[in-house]
Amino acid sequence: MTTTSTDTIPLAPVYTITIASNGAAMVDGEDVTAPGTDHQAARLAALAEVRIKAALHGRPVRATVKDTDGTALPLVVDIDGTTTTLAHPHPTPPATATPAPPAAGPVAREALGALTVAAWRAISDPDAHTPETADFLTETAEQLVAAGADRTETLRVIRNAHTIWHHTRDDDPDTARELAPRLLGLLQDGHPRRTADVITWSTTFSGATI
């Protein structure tokens, strides 16, 4: 578990997690889960999304969870998924503290490195082998592919994403079904056994739910 001094974390950005009574979760207004999702699952999915943002920044980030009862919980989310609840609301950053978007070049490479480290930590912790981790690893792999990252590291993350998906798919078949086409897009023609595994399970699951 990472221990982070909140005093060293920049005041911005502060990501806003909103969880509705119907289970729909959003991060900064972008949908993360659909209505009907279990409340705890929606919260975990939203935190996983913020975890990805932390990995992209290469450091812990601030977030506020706005729950159905009207409470606003200030948190810090680290790249390994560790969350720290703060005793007080986040300080208001000065107008000049708004960060610029991640730039190309060295900054982008640092972010890719942080994503790779976060993915390695996720697969190394047996307690983190969950559908949320499968989603996180799939998202990480997609980011690495899009950025043209080191192919060896990218393939390792893709394989790990499939492995966690394979072992957790029966625990949460709905999430597994949503991840299946994304995994197929990542696996493509280079992983025939893994590709066949995803296709076979998806076909069986679809037939079982008709």
Side-chain angles (χ1 to χ4, degrees):
M1 177 179 293
T2 300
T3 302
T4 303
S5 170
T6 57
D7 295 336
T8 64
I9 301 172
L11 301 183
V14 179
Y15 296 101
T16 300
I17 297 173
T18 305
I19 304 176
S21 58
N22 63 1
M26 295 188 297
V27 175
D28 283 358
E30 295 186 6
D31 293 335
V32 176
T33 60
T37 304
D38 174 77
H39 184 275
Q40 181 64 13
R43 188 177 190 276
L44 290 174
L47 287 173
E49 187 69 21
V50 176
R51 176 185 180 184
I52 293 172
K53 297 181 184 299
L56 287 170
H57 282 281
R59 59 167 175 79
V61 295
R62 298 175 182 269
T64 299
V65 179
K66 294 185 177 180
D67 222 323
T68 54
D69 59 3
T71 58
L73 185 67
L75 301 172
V76 167
V77 181
D78 213 330
I79 61 174
D80 64 355
T82 301
T83 60
T84 303
T85 302
L86 305 182
H88 304 287
H90 297 292
T92 302
T96 56
T98 303
V107 175
R109 286 194 291 272
E110 289 176 8
L112 291 176
L115 273 174
T116 303
V117 170
W120 178 83
R121 287 175 174 171
I123 197 70
S124 300
D125 181 4
D127 293 333
H129 291 187
T130 65
E132 289 76 24
T133 300
D135 190 10
F136 169 71
L137 291 172
T138 301
E139 174 73 18
T140 299
E142 290 169 340
Q143 295 276 358
L144 295 174
V145 169
D150 179 78
R151 185 61 180 164
T152 300
E153 291 297 333
T154 301
L155 289 174
R156 182 178 294 115
V157 175
I158 291 172
R159 290 193 296 268
N160 289 339
H162 170 263
T163 298
I164 299 298
W165 176 88
H166 176 88
H167 289 296
T168 63
R169 62 193 183 189
D170 292 331
D171 297 330
D172 187 352
D174 289 333
T175 297
R177 177 177 55 81
E178 293 173 1
L179 289 178
R182 294 167 61 190
L183 281 172
L184 288 174
L186 290 167
L187 294 168
Q188 297 180 349
D189 299 326
H191 302 81
R193 181 179 60 81
R194 295 175 186 271
T195 298
D197 177 56
V198 176
I199 293 174
T200 299
W201 181 87
S202 300
T203 302
T204 302
F205 177 79
S206 298
T209 56
I210 292 176

